[in-house]
Amino acid sequence: MVQGSVFTKIINRELPATIVYEDDDIISFVPLRLQAPVHLLIVPKKEIYTINDATEEDMKVLGKMILVAKKLAKERGVSETGYRLSINTNEDAGQSVFHIHMHLLGGKKLGPMVVQEE
C-alpha cells in the first residue's frame, strides 16, 4: 500500500479516527468536519487517487463501497428517510484528500448538490 494520504494513515492506525465499519477492503469513519447529522466517509483500503485513476480491477471494491453505504445508512436510521452518496473528483468538485472516498450524508433534508442557476 502506498504511504501517502491521511486516509492511508487512518487505515494503518497512524492517525486516530472513529471507525464505524471495517473489513479487508473498506474502512468507514466519521470525518472531522460534519456536513450533516449523519456523515460518514467510506474509503477503499487500496489507495486510488481519484475516480479517474480507477481501473477495471477496482470495480469490485467500488461496488462494495455502495453496499457498505447502504448497510451503514440502515444502521444509522436514514435508509427510509433518504441519504446522499457523493464522490468528489479533483479540485473543482471539492476533492481535498486524493484517496477516493464516498460521503454518506443524511439525517436532515439535504439541499441541492450544486447552486441552481436561473
Side-chain angles (χ1 to χ4, degrees):
M1 185 177 302
V2 176
Q3 299 293 317
S5 79
V6 65
F7 296 160
T8 300
K9 292 180 185 342
I10 290 170
I11 291 164
N12 292 335
R13 304 304 196 268
E14 297 168 7
L15 288 175
T18 303
I19 297 169
V20 298
Y21 176 89
E22 184 172 19
D23 65 23
D24 290 341
D25 304 310
I26 305 281
I27 191 166
S28 179
F29 51 90
V30 178
L32 294 177
R33 291 182 286 282
L34 296 178
Q35 297 174 18
V38 174
H39 186 182
L40 300 173
L41 298 179
I42 300 160
V43 182
K45 289 184 174 181
K46 177 183 179 186
E47 191 170 80
I48 306 166
Y49 300 110
T50 74
I51 287 293
N52 294 334
D53 298 300
T55 67
E56 291 211 14
E57 292 174 358
D58 301 318
M59 192 179 322
K60 184 177 177 184
V61 75
L62 295 173
K64 190 173 185 180
M65 289 170 67
I66 293 170
L67 295 177
V68 168
K70 172 186 160 185
K71 175 186 183 317
L72 293 172
K74 184 170 184 164
E75 288 175 0
R76 303 255 166 337
V78 296
S79 62
E80 296 302 318
T81 57
Y83 57 97
R84 179 175 294 159
L85 300 177
S86 175
I87 300 174
N88 301 323
T89 303
N90 287 324
E91 291 90 354
D92 282 359
Q95 185 176 5
S96 59
V97 176
F98 286 85
H99 181 148
I100 66 167
H101 53 286
M102 178 183 293
H103 295 261
L104 171 98
L105 300 155
K108 70 175 187 176
K109 188 165 178 76
L110 301 171
M113 291 180 23
V114 295
V115 176
Q116 303 294 315
E117 296 185 27
E118 295 181 28

